Amino acid sequence: MIRSPSRPARLLIHAAVYTLALSMALPFLWMLSTSLKSEAETLSGRVSLLPQSWRWSNFPAAVRAANLDRYYLNSLIIAALTTALGVLHNALAGYAFAKLRFRGRRTLLVLALFTMTLPVQVSFIFMALICARLGYLDNTTGLIVPFLASGFGIFYMKQVCTAVPGALLEAGRMDGMTDFELFWLIVRPAAWPGIAALAIITFVNSWNAFFWPLVAIDSDRAKTLPLAIADLASGKYVQSWPVRMAAATILTLPLLIGFLIFQRAFVRGVTMTGLKE
Amino acid sequence: MARPSSTSAYAFLAFPLGVLIVFTLVPTMLGLGLSLFTWDGVGRASFAGLENFRALARDPRFGPALRNTLVFVVASVPPTVLIGFLVAAAMHARWFIGRSIARTMVFIPTVVSIVAIGFVWRWMLDDGGGLVPAMLRTLGFTDLPNFLQDGSWPMVSIIVVSIWRGIGLAAVLYLAALSNLGEGFDEAAACDGASRAQVLRHITWPLVGPTTVFLLITGAISALQVFDIVWAMTAGVENDATTVLNLYVFREFQQSRLGYASAIAVLIFVLTMLASAPAMTGRRARA
């Protein structure tokens, strides 16, 4: 039996870990606190987490100044559609690779895996030109369709589907189920934790995506939240820090609350996938 | 059994593979080729051979961008992985109090978008009302630099924020690896009288080697392609001190020098391959 460290050592280790842990929360607390202060207070040099006077009006001001409601809706629609359709297609492909037999299986699998290693810097120029040709540029379609399949998603769903017992599928086949029915009625429920993990990662990645939207979106109408936040950070729209932090709060708080609620699934999703797209 | 399910397999694969081909594979091939051309995206592309790469070697702004990127990789990835390991080892210990709350807190920055992180840290470090300068002043430091603009401070800030953000993911993956090792993997060594530090260094660290390799490779790959955090922390005040390769690619793209942008991108691609190759072969050799 390994001995525990001495009392002072344990205390020191706890102090170190919790200092670090607090430092992870502090910037967001400071963001929240600033978003409720008056501009004069933020410039006064007084350091306090609690505002002197609570300025809730910073929030409507932020929404108005930067059209956050529109960008919110855009981001939500894009992330939701990408997640629902993307996970479905990756799962179908993963299921096909894991459980169905067909000619060219190995070649197609290698092809899918190969795309995982290709950096977006090399492809984005022609991605933009192809999207322009298809009419996907500068609108939400261009932020969704190219992300409805990923080498990683297919590979990951293949791993997940492989773990589904073959006997279950055989039983289904006996009952005369089609391959899609087998997928929908047997594989989907059996592979649910893996599917949920991929869904969470897909949603977060889509919600937070920045480089491609920056390339693909030009007009204000189709902007996503991260683009608006970057504009805010560089001082576009408003100069007041409380209003800007109110905007940052509006972007980050839903994800933080979602994380706190679905923490278990979240952490599992990350450990299962390594947070890769 | 053995019912041929080819038709449905192709039906399931058609759309996802089509997406990969149209939006990843084809654009990548064309992008690689584009590095050998001069093109503004509108007129005709003219073949230039290796001229773009030769121009890169002469470009006075390319050297700093390359150096900044490499500095970022080396200074941000290993510390993130090491601190993540130490935090996980501490949290995994039986005597650690409040593991799940500590894990939750450490993980918070991982779920927040990098752009928002950069934005929030800009305010934390702000010259006027930022929390960090205010705290340092209370501690008696006067004559503080502007962390977002002076000399090499912006790069330092970007690196520190990147480490800060990456620790959570590293710690959570190490925690999972440690709990997979099960109880008692370190007890034999402890019975032989090894100190806790020795156990950590010579038993635990090698046992979580696959996680370390994974974190180093994926960390190096994404650090070579760093963009969001630099953009968010420097937009409006950017200068050559914080220009990284990917930012340079984007600037050239905006200037419609598409062949030149592609040449830099190809270089990032090659660096990415180099970063992952030794780790891959090393891993195979050990296995």
Side-chain angles (χ1 to χ4, degrees):
Chain A
M1 177 81 188
I2 204 160
R3 282 167 303 124
S4 297
S6 63
R7 227 174 182 335
R10 267 185 294 179
L11 212 65
L12 208 67
I13 293 172
H14 277 99
V17 171
Y18 277 101
T19 306
L20 192 73
L22 268 178
S23 89
M24 302 284 173
L26 187 63
F28 301 106
L29 290 174
W30 187 241
M31 166 189 83
L32 199 61
S33 144
T34 304
S35 73
L36 294 166
K37 287 176 179 171
S38 68
E39 192 170 5
E41 188 183 347
T42 59
L43 298 173
S44 68
R46 177 176 169 274
V47 175
S48 159
L49 270 182
L50 289 182
Q52 269 172 327
S53 62
W54 297 66
R55 286 293 180 92
W56 294 99
S57 61
N58 289 333
F59 282 84
V63 173
R64 250 179 291 115
N67 297 318
L68 289 181
D69 45 351
R70 166 176 280 280
Y71 304 141
Y72 225 97
L73 197 64
N74 285 348
S75 277
L76 205 61
I77 291 171
I78 292 164
L81 283 176
T82 307
T83 305
L85 297 174
V87 170
L88 174 69
H89 283 111
N90 285 326
L92 277 171
Y95 162 63
F97 280 126
K99 294 293 184 193
L100 302 180
R101 264 167 298 158
F102 52 96
R103 282 168 66 93
R105 181 177 162 279
R106 259 197 84 76
T107 319
L108 292 176
L109 184 61
V110 169
L111 179 93
L113 294 188
F114 178 63
T115 60
M116 271 164 77
T117 61
L118 306 173
V120 68
Q121 291 81 19
V122 180
S123 59
F124 82 95
I125 293 175
F126 280 98
M127 227 172 123
L129 292 171
I130 290 170
C131 282
R133 192 58 67 80
L134 294 169
Y136 291 177
L137 216 55
D138 204 19
N139 60 50
T140 43
T141 319
L143 302 186
I144 298 172
V145 176
F147 303 96
L148 292 185
S150 75
F152 173 75
I154 292 173
F155 171 69
Y156 180 67
M157 287 321 301
K158 176 188 166 282
Q159 302 300 92
V160 169
C161 291
T162 304
V164 176
L168 284 179
L169 296 175
E170 274 319 306
R173 279 213 178 92
M174 299 289 197
D175 291 348
M177 287 188 187
T178 65
D179 285 318
F180 185 78
E181 284 170 335
L182 289 174
F183 168 77
W184 193 255
L185 300 172
I186 297 177
V187 175
R188 186 181 53 97
W192 189 248
I195 292 175
L198 185 65
I200 287 172
I201 302 305
T202 308
F203 189 92
V204 172
N205 280 337
S206 175
W207 180 266
N208 291 341
F210 184 63
F211 183 76
W212 173 249
L214 190 66
V215 170
I217 300 298
D218 210 28
S219 59
D220 274 346
R221 185 182 43 80
K223 266 187 188 163
T224 60
L225 270 181
L227 293 179
I229 295 296
D231 283 344
L232 276 161
S234 63
K236 197 178 165 183
Y237 306 126
V238 266
Q239 294 298 323
S240 145
W241 274 108
V243 176
R244 287 156 87 178
M245 282 300 113
T249 305
I250 293 171
L251 172 74
T252 50
L253 214 56
L255 220 56
L256 284 177
I257 292 172
F259 163 60
L260 292 176
I261 295 173
F262 299 111
Q263 211 200 124
R264 226 167 258 283
F266 228 101
V267 170
R268 195 181 50 222
V270 166
T271 36
M272 284 165 84
T273 61
L275 200 70
K276 245 192 85 57
E277 174 61 28
Chain B
M1 52 165 292
R3 191 183 54 171
S5 20
S6 307
T7 324
S8 40
Y10 296 135
F12 296 161
L13 288 171
F15 182 76
L17 291 183
V19 166
L20 287 183
I21 290 169
V22 173
F23 295 105
T24 304
L25 214 56
V26 169
T28 303
M29 298 305 160
L30 293 172
L32 290 173
L34 185 58
S35 65
L36 304 174
F37 286 82
T38 311
W39 193 33
D40 62 0
V42 185
R44 283 183 68 88
S46 63
F47 185 74
L50 293 175
E51 186 44 46
N52 285 326
F53 294 94
R54 266 183 242 122
L56 264 185
R58 292 191 302 266
D59 185 344
R61 296 188 59 194
F62 173 69
L66 178 64
R67 204 192 51 230
N68 288 336
T69 307
L70 295 179
V71 165
F72 178 78
V73 173
V74 172
S76 71
V77 180
T80 307
V81 175
L82 188 65
I83 298 172
F85 170 70
L86 293 175
V87 168
M91 285 201 254
H92 185 69
R94 234 162 308 165
W95 43 263
F96 191 85
I97 301 162
R99 183 188 304 170
S100 68
I101 180 124
R103 189 184 64 183
T104 303
M105 288 170 79
V106 170
F107 202 64
I108 286 175
T110 314
V111 299
V112 176
S113 89
I114 299 184
V115 180
I117 295 231
F119 185 22
V120 170
W121 272 99
R122 258 178 112 136
W123 170 231
M124 289 287 286
L125 296 170
D126 187 79
D127 223 14
L131 185 59
V132 173
M135 274 162 55
L136 289 173
R137 262 183 229 112
T138 331
L139 292 174
F141 292 93
T142 51
D143 205 26
L144 292 171
N146 183 328
F147 291 111
L148 296 167
Q149 288 179 31
D150 292 351
S152 46
W153 280 106
M155 201 63 205
V156 174
S157 307
I158 290 169
I159 289 168
V160 171
V161 171
S162 300
I163 295 172
W164 171 85
R165 186 192 193 238
I167 289 172
L169 177 63
V172 164
L173 291 185
Y174 273 125
L175 268 176
L178 287 171
S179 51
N180 282 342
L181 293 180
E183 294 285 319
F185 68 89
D186 47 4
E187 286 184 1
C191 289
D192 289 344
S195 74
R196 267 177 309 279
Q198 281 171 326
V199 170
L200 201 64
R201 166 78 186 76
H202 295 290
I203 309 277
T204 317
W205 176 251
L207 280 173
V208 295
T211 305
T212 308
V213 171
F214 175 81
L215 285 169
L216 285 176
I217 295 178
T218 54
I221 290 173
S222 56
L224 280 168
Q225 301 174 14
V226 60
F227 183 85
D228 301 11
I229 187 72
V230 181
W231 183 283
M233 285 185 73
T234 62
V237 294
E238 59 267 277
N239 59 46
D240 283 354
T242 51
T243 299
V244 289
L245 287 177
N246 204 358
L247 207 65
Y248 202 25
V249 173
F250 187 73
R251 296 275 178 238
E252 292 299 306
F253 166 73
Q254 282 183 314
Q255 308 283 324
S256 290
R257 287 192 284 269
L258 302 184
Y260 199 57
S262 287
I264 309 169
V266 167
L267 202 90
I268 298 178
F269 187 27
V270 172
L271 286 174
T272 309
M273 292 290 145
L274 287 178
S276 43
M280 292 287 199
T281 49
R283 193 186 191 180
R284 213 172 296 137
R286 230 183 305 141

